[in-house]
Every structure is written in structure tokens, then in C-alpha cells.
């Protein structure tokens, strides 16, 4: 019995120490992530987990894919592209607080009957995933996505969220951001994108490594037409906060 008590006495301090380390780790995580999100309210973002992950994937497949990525202020990105991605990916972007609960409910209901799952991620959620996380469908990753989405909506305005999104989205193999994609596909800066070119960019977003704006499939063209209809329904006044902020 005395041996058991001595053993327990040794274990107890270790357990307390591990508990303290765990609590400090959680505290450090929250502080560091909050500070990072706050700093990214102003700092350009040149590297993201997605870029490293894709590069590793291509390398493991024996492919060499060069990286095309530039940072461009939103003022130098065509308003046509800004409007097109909102109409395509998140029509309620300027009115929600990071989550479109109506779209989430519809996706949950639809996914009960579909083999190909339907997503309901907002532009803010996609930004959180692209900047801080990695592509995955695990509960842990989705939970972290929710956490970063809340932080982003609390610390950034909508114009900054859209600016970051347009600078980090994948628009082809090794192509990230509006400026790099515009130069690669259309040989012009993102500020000069025409309406049709911008809408084709937005149309390929669900699968940019498979589709190309220069060789649009029938499905991509249907998505472009869907974006055009959404733009009409939203109207010019809906986008006014982007130019006012």
C-alpha cells in the first residue's frame, strides 16, 4: 500500500504539470491566432498552407508546376471580378456575418439525397480555409474554419475580406490570386479584366484545376450565365458598400 501511495504521489504532480501545459497551449493558440488575424487586417499575405500543400501534391505526382502568385490591392482588381465572385460564391456576402445559415440548411437537406455533396461556405469561410487551414472535410478542420471565420468577421471589414480572398484563391494549377491569373490567362493586369473574362474566372472557382476560363466547358458556360442572372438580381446598389468603404 505504501508503494502505491508513493507512486500516486509521483503521478499527481506530473498530471498537474501536464494540465498546466495544456491550458497554456490553448491560451497561446488563441492569443497567437487572434494576433495573426489582426495583423493580416493590414499585411499582404504571400504564402498560405494551400500553396505548400498543392506544391507537395504535384511533386509527389512527379509533376513540376511553377507557382504564379502576386499580391494586388483591391483597388487594382477589376470591379467586374469583385462582383462576379460574390454573385457566384456568396450572394449574401455583404449582408451576413460570416455564415449563410439559410444556405447551410439547404445544403444539409440536399446532401441527404445527393452523392455529390453540396457546399455552403461563404467567402469569409473560404478565406479562413485558404489563409489559415487546408482542404479537408474533417470535423476538426470545419471547427477551426468556424473559429477563424468568427475572428475574420470581427477584425476585418468586408472590403478587406474580399481583397484577401481575391489574392489567395486558386485559379489554376500553380496559379493563385486575381493578378497572377489575369496575367497568365489574359496577358493583362487584373484591373483591366473585362466583364466576360471576370465572369469566366468566377465560373471556374468550384474546380479551377480542372476547368480553364480560356477553354470553358458547357458546364462552365452555364455557371457564367448563372452568375450573370445573379448580378442582375442583386442589382448595382447592392455592391455600393464596396466602393464606399
Amino acid at each position: 500500500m505504501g508503494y502505491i501511495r508513493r507512486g500516486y504521489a509521483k503521478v499527481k504532480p506530473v498530471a498537474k504539470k501536464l494540465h498546466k501545459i495544456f491550458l497554456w497551449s490553448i491560451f497561446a493558440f488563441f492569443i497567437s491566432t487572434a494576433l495573426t488575424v489582426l495583423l493580416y487586417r493590414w499585411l499582404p499575405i504571400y504564402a498560405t498552407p494551400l500553396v505548400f500543400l498543392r506544391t507537395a501534391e504535384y511533386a509527389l505526382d512527379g509533376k513540376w508546376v511553377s507557382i504564379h502568385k502576386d499580391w494586388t490591392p483591391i483597388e487594382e482588381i477589376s470591379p467586374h471580378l469583385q462582383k462576379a465572385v460574390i454573385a457566384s460564391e456568396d450572394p449574401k456576402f455583404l449582408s451576413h456575418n460570416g455564415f449563410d445559415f439559410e444556405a447551410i440548411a439547404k445544403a444539409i437537406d440536399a446532401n441527404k439525397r445527393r452523392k455529390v455533396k453540396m457546399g455552403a461556405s461563404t467567402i469569409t469561410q473560404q478565406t479562413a480555409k485558404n489563409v489559415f487551414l487546408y482542404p479537408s472535410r474533417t470535423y476538426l478542420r470545419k471547427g477551426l474554419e468556424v473559429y477563424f471565420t468568427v475572428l475574420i468577421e470581427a477584425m476585418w471589414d468586408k472590403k478587406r475580406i474580399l481583397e484577401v480572398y481575391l489574392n489567395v484563391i486558386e485559379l489554376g494549377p500553380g496559379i493563385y490570386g486575381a493578378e497572377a491569373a489575369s496575367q497568365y490567362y489574359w496577358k493583362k493586369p487584373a484591373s483591366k479584366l473585362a466583364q466576360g473574362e471576370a465572369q469566366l474566372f468566377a465560373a471556374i472557382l468550384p474546380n479551377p484545376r480542372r476547368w480553364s476560363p480560356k477553354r470553358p466547358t458547357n458546364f462552365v458556360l452555364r455557371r457564367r450565365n448563372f452568375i450573370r442572372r445573379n448580378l442582375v438580381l442583386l442589382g448595382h446598389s447592392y455592391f455600393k458598400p464596396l466602393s464606399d468603404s
Side-chain angles (χ1 to χ4, degrees), residues 104-155:
I104 292 171
K106 287 181 180 178
I108 292 172
D109 184 59
N111 289 341
K112 293 175 182 177
R113 306 183 299 272
R114 294 165 53 126
K115 288 185 178 180
V116 179
K117 300 304 180 183
M118 174 183 174
S121 294
T122 62
I123 284 175
T124 313
Q125 287 176 273
Q126 292 180 50
T127 302
K129 178 186 70 176
N130 288 338
V131 174
F132 299 104
L133 303 169
Y134 50 91
S136 170
R137 293 185 178 275
T138 64
Y139 288 113
L140 173 61
R141 208 277 293 159
K142 290 301 290 184
L144 289 171
E145 180 184 300
V146 170
Y147 169 70
F148 279 108
T149 298
V150 171
L151 284 183
I152 288 170
E153 283 282 343
M155 296 184 183

Side-chain angles (χ1 to χ4, degrees), residues 148-164:
F148 279 108
T149 298
V150 171
L151 284 183
I152 288 170
E153 283 282 343
M155 296 184 183
W156 304 355
D157 60 21
K158 292 292 187 179
K159 194 169 182 178
R160 176 58 176 176
I161 295 171
L162 187 61
E163 179 178 54
V164 172

Side-chain angles (χ1 to χ4, degrees), residues 165-213:
Y165 175 77
L166 289 171
N167 273 283
V168 300
I169 51 173
E170 190 176 23
L171 282 165
I175 304 167
Y176 304 92
E179 181 65 24
S182 185
Q183 295 285 358
Y184 182 85
Y185 289 111
W186 308 117
K187 311 302 180 188
K188 64 170 74 173
S191 60
K192 302 296 184 182
L193 280 173
Q195 188 176 54
E197 295 164 342
Q199 290 168 358
L200 283 171
F201 270 150
I204 69 168
L205 283 175
N207 200 338
R209 292 195 292 169
R210 178 181 176 187
W211 299 324
S212 167

